[in-house]
Amino acid sequence: MAKAAEHQDKEHQDSTDKGLDRDCTTLSRHVLQQFQGFSAQAQDLSALMNRIALAGKLVARRLSRAGLMEGVLGFTGEVNVQGESVKKMDVYANDVFISVFKQSGLVCRLASEEMDQPYYIPENCPIGRYTLLYDPIDGSSNTDTNLSLGSIFAIRQQEGEDRDGQAKDLLAPGTKQIGAGYILYGPSTMLVYTMGKGVHSFTLDPSLGEFILTEENIKIPDHGSVYSLNEGNFWQWEESVREYVRYVHRTEGYTARYSGAMVSDIHRILVQGGVFLYPGTVQKPEGKLRLLYESAPLAYVIEQAGGRATTGEMNILDVVAEKLHQRTPLIIGSKEDVAKVESFIQNGH
Ligand code: P6P
């Protein structure tokens, strides 16, 4: 009996240790583990990721109460630098990211979809040479309908002096990103990130107020059944893209999924495989999605998970931007499915 009880105790102890250890594997601890030590850079990036997590918690809290509060939903009546009508949630989330980095000593500049020019935090600059590029709310058309949304972020190291305030060093290719990821505001709030050492997901535990490790070293399947694009644009595309869509329509084994929020669609593809595409159109060959704070961070994540991301002509991570809000066509996901789309675009079939 004693032996069995001892065994039971040990089993219980093991499972308790595992459960406790998982609950203690917070985002900031995981980032330190990524750098296998406590160097100044590891500490800075751990603290930086923790601020991004705080931004995610503040946005998630606002979204969860949107229907209960005045002034959260709907449009501001303004138009942003993209020429898009601005949602109140866009402005709130943009301000949240700025606020969490003030007095942080970590981030000197913030570049956002919602701001024409980068936002400087001069008191951080002598030390915090990092720049955060972000889309505060991705998929804001979903805000007023309680559907999934995301925030997308990329971390870059400032290169040289940004004397003219034009942040020209940010126009470097996506391979210069130190870290990138997204926050998915869905049935649960998840944070997915990479620092170049694999892709890892965390789930917000509201009872702890912490993002707890969910999956490490996520690998995207080489192929998946999902193709994700807005077929309402069918007659706006080049013929080669229309031919690809006709191919998946007539080929067994494909299924269409498109939510209106790229973070949500790409997270599904990261987990199940498949391809998301937002091609250019005849009128706008450069496409709709932005390079520096949407496509490049997501490309970093998907490539780190073993997938691919291309403009149709070249890898997203190799594109050198000419301007901060540059747009790009995007084809991203499982390597076999991205290759299939490329075969239509590059060979016209
Ligand atoms: P459309 C949201 O505005 C976004 O940038 C992506 O999140 C989303 O996939 C896409 O645009 C939706 O655009 O033209 O299909 O409504």
Side-chain angles (χ1 to χ4, degrees), residues 84 113 135 137-142 150 152 228-233 258-266 276-278 288-290 294 298 327:
E84 293 165 349
E113 174 184 309
D135 180 5
I137 290 287
D138 168 69
S140 45
S141 60
N142 287 357
I152 308 170
S228 182
L229 79 169
N230 182 344
E231 297 200 40
N233 298 330
Y258 192 76
S259 75
M262 174 166 62
V263 165
S264 180
D265 292 324
I266 290 177
F276 172 94
L277 46 161
Y278 204 102
K288 169 183 183 180
L289 302 175
R290 272 62 56 153
E294 288 181 322
L298 292 172
R327 296 174 191 266

Side-chain angles (χ1 to χ4, degrees), residues 25-61:
T25 308
T26 60
L27 179 63
S28 44
R29 181 171 117 174
H30 193 267
V31 174
L32 288 172
Q33 287 169 347
Q34 294 284 293
F35 289 88
Q36 289 155 358
F38 303 97
S39 67
Q41 184 194 31
Q43 303 263 20
D44 281 352
L45 289 169
S46 175
L48 200 160
M49 285 301 298
N50 226 21
R51 306 308 286 177
I52 290 174
L54 176 58
K57 287 185 260 188
L58 288 164
V59 171
R61 184 179 68 174

Side-chain angles (χ1 to χ4, degrees), residues 24-32 35 41-59 96-97 99-102 104 106-107 132 153 155 183 191 193 195 202 204 208-213:
C24 294
T25 308
T26 60
L27 179 63
S28 44
R29 181 171 117 174
H30 193 267
V31 174
L32 288 172
F35 289 88
Q41 184 194 31
Q43 303 263 20
D44 281 352
L45 289 169
S46 175
L48 200 160
M49 285 301 298
N50 226 21
R51 306 308 286 177
I52 290 174
L54 176 58
K57 287 185 260 188
L58 288 164
V59 171
V96 160
F97 277 85
S99 302
V100 300
F101 281 105
K102 284 183 173 174
S104 69
L106 292 164
V107 165
L132 186 81
F153 60 88
I155 303 162
I183 300 164
L191 187 148
Y193 88 100
M195 290 277 175
F202 292 74
L204 178 63
L208 290 173
E210 287 283 1
F211 281 95
I212 301 298
L213 179 66

